[in-house]
């Protein structure tokens, strides 16, 4: 009997092992796998900083690359990608350089992605967490299941801003500290005076400075608003480098750039590009559009992309966050080996952008922060003066 037990035990263990491996294989092959969208940036996420209006040198826009891949990591072929970029949400207590842009849509674009990849260059105006709403669908029905993803990435504030804020706060604290030290000292009040002369001079000076600061903050914003609201104010500063008709003909083709010619900060402008065959009057298939939106006053790129258009048409929505004129330039060239071949040519159009002043509430909050530094310094000065006086008396 003992001789039979060992072979039987080995057989049972082998049978159980085969059952386990079989079940593992079945479960492993039946696990659901999904396609996804990958995001890469250049520069890397850790090095992203928002746009600096006062920068001496213009930074190139951030390169955003979206790649749709299947469950095995292979790119999805013949895809259509719809991309929307949403700016960080509004926070009135910690405003950014462009508060009107907070919580708005920066870009709305749909384009073909033959290799499952969409690449754009976008200048990011403010710090915070951006949302990318991405929808990927097949050009050919049922080629793959549509994908819908919401991707996020964060942009840190430039450290120079914190350095400047700390320096300004230190100056205001020192001013308040000096005022508190003077007020807390022994003063002689002359007959008929409400307060000693040094205190009255100090309070009068502080009042004048506060009023001047308040007027400067509000008047500068209002003047900027009225200046940006005049459509012709920027036109007088430069002459267009190109025809503003938005239509160019070359080699039997007509390239049209249409849409809004005026935009407002905080809202999107709708734009369309189309290549027409002059013989047939129909859109020319198999072309590629190279887009570039440039701020004209300081010549920095706000947005750029190279997008194929199988039907010769492209439409997108774009927000211009800087209240200055922009040019939108489009170069069209043929897809290699597809359709008619021609020499690339370009069309450009100028767009007037109306700036919007920050809300009065935001300006008053910032002024309140600065005033609080002075008050804190004043309180510290009074406390230090009181402590010194008490120490002298006890000594």
């Amino acid at each position: 009997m003992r001789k039979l037990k060992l072979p039987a035990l080995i057989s049972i263990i082998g049978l159980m092992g085969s059952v386990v491996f079989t079940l593992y294989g079945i479960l492993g092959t039946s696990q659901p796998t999904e396609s996804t969208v990958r995001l890469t940036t250049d520069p890397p996420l850790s090095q992203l900083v928002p746009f600096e209006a006062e920068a001496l040198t213009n930074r190139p826009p951030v390169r955003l690359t979206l790649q749709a891949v299947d469950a095995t990591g292979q790119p999805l072929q013949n895809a259509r990608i719809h991309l929307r970029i949403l700016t960080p949400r509004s926070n009135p207590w910690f405003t950014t350089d462009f508060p009107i842009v907070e919580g708005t849509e920066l870009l709305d674009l749909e384009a073909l992605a033959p290799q499952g990849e969409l690449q754009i260059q976008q200048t990011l105006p403010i710090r915070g967490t951006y949302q990318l709403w991405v929808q990927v669908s097949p050009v050919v029905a049922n080629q793959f299941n549509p994908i819908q993803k919401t991707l996020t990435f964060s942009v840190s504030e430039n450290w120079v801003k914190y350095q400047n804020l700390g320096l300004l706060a230190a100056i205001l604290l020192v001013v308040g500290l000096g005022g508190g030290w003077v007020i807390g000292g022994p003063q002689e009040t002359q007959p008929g005076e409400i307060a000693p002369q040094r205190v009255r001079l100090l309070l009068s000076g502080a009042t004048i400075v506060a009023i001047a600061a308040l007027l400067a903050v509000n008047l500068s914003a209002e003047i900027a608003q009225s200046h940006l609201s005049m459509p012709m104010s920027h036109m007088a500063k430069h002459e267009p480098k190109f025809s503003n008709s938005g239509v160019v003909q070359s080699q039997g083709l007509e390239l049209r750039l249409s849409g809004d010619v005026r935009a407002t900060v905080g809202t999107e402008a709708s734009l369309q590009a189309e290549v027409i065959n002059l013989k047939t009057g129909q859109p020319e298939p198999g072309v590629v559009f190279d887009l570039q939106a440039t701020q004209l006053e300081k010549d920095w790129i706000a947005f750029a992309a190279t997008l194929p258009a199988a039907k010769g048409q492209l439409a997108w929505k774009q927000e211009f966050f800087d209240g200055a004129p922009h040019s939108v330039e489009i170069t069209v060239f043929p897809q290699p080996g597809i359709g008619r071949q021609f020499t690339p040519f370009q069309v450009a159009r100028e767009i007037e952008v109306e700036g919007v002043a920050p809300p009065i509430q935001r300006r008053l909050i910032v002024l309140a922060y600065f005033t609080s530094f002075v008050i804190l310094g004043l309180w510290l000065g009074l406390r230090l003066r009181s402590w010194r006086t008490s120490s002298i008396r006890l000594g």
Side-chain angles (χ1 to χ4, degrees), residues 4-18:
L4 295 175
K5 288 182 180 179
L6 184 59
L9 182 60
I10 295 175
S11 300
I12 293 173
I13 292 175
L15 180 61
M16 292 178 63
S18 62

Side-chain angles (χ1 to χ4, degrees), residues 327-349:
S327 73
V328 177
E329 303 177 15
I330 296 182
T331 302
V332 62
F333 54 90
Q335 296 187 34
I338 301 178
R340 175 181 176 181
Q341 300 300 299
F342 56 89
T343 303
F345 59 103
Q346 183 186 73
V347 68
R349 197 168 190 180

Side-chain angles (χ1 to χ4, degrees), residues 14 32 38 45 72 77 98 125 142 149-150 167 169-170 186 190 213 254 260 284 299 304 316 331 336 347:
R38 298 172 180 172
L45 291 175
T72 63
Q77 304 294 318
F98 298 91
N142 301 322
K149 289 283 184 180
T150 300
L167 180 61
Q190 301 297 328
E254 182 177 88
D260 297 333
E284 181 70 19
D299 195 31
W316 76 100
T331 302
V347 68

Side-chain angles (χ1 to χ4, degrees), residues 189-209:
T189 305
Q190 301 297 328
E193 292 181 342
I194 299 177
Q197 183 179 7
R198 284 191 296 175
V199 175
R200 286 186 287 110
L201 290 175
L202 180 64
L203 293 176
S204 299
T207 302
I208 293 174
V209 171

Side-chain angles (χ1 to χ4, degrees), residues 242-288:
F242 43 77
S243 172
N244 203 36
S245 63
V247 179
V248 172
Q249 294 183 358
S250 176
Q251 307 163 71
L253 300 175
E254 182 177 88
L255 176 58
R256 301 175 184 174
L257 174 57
S258 58
D260 297 333
V261 294
R262 286 183 173 84
T264 304
V265 173
T267 60
E268 292 176 299
S270 297
L271 299 167
Q272 302 87 34
E274 186 177 29
V275 179
I276 301 296
N277 189 310
L278 295 177
K279 291 183 178 180
T280 63
Q282 299 297 319
E284 181 70 19
V287 299
V288 177

Side-chain angles (χ1 to χ4, degrees), residues 33 36 38 65 75 77 114 118 148 164 169 189 222 244 246 261 278 281 332 340 358 362 367 393:
T33 54
T36 188
R38 298 172 180 172
T65 303
Q77 304 294 318
L118 174 64
Q148 185 169 328
N164 294 339
T189 305
E222 294 301 328
N244 203 36
V261 294
L278 295 177
V332 62
R340 175 181 176 181
R362 300 287 185 92
L367 183 62
R393 289 176 180 175

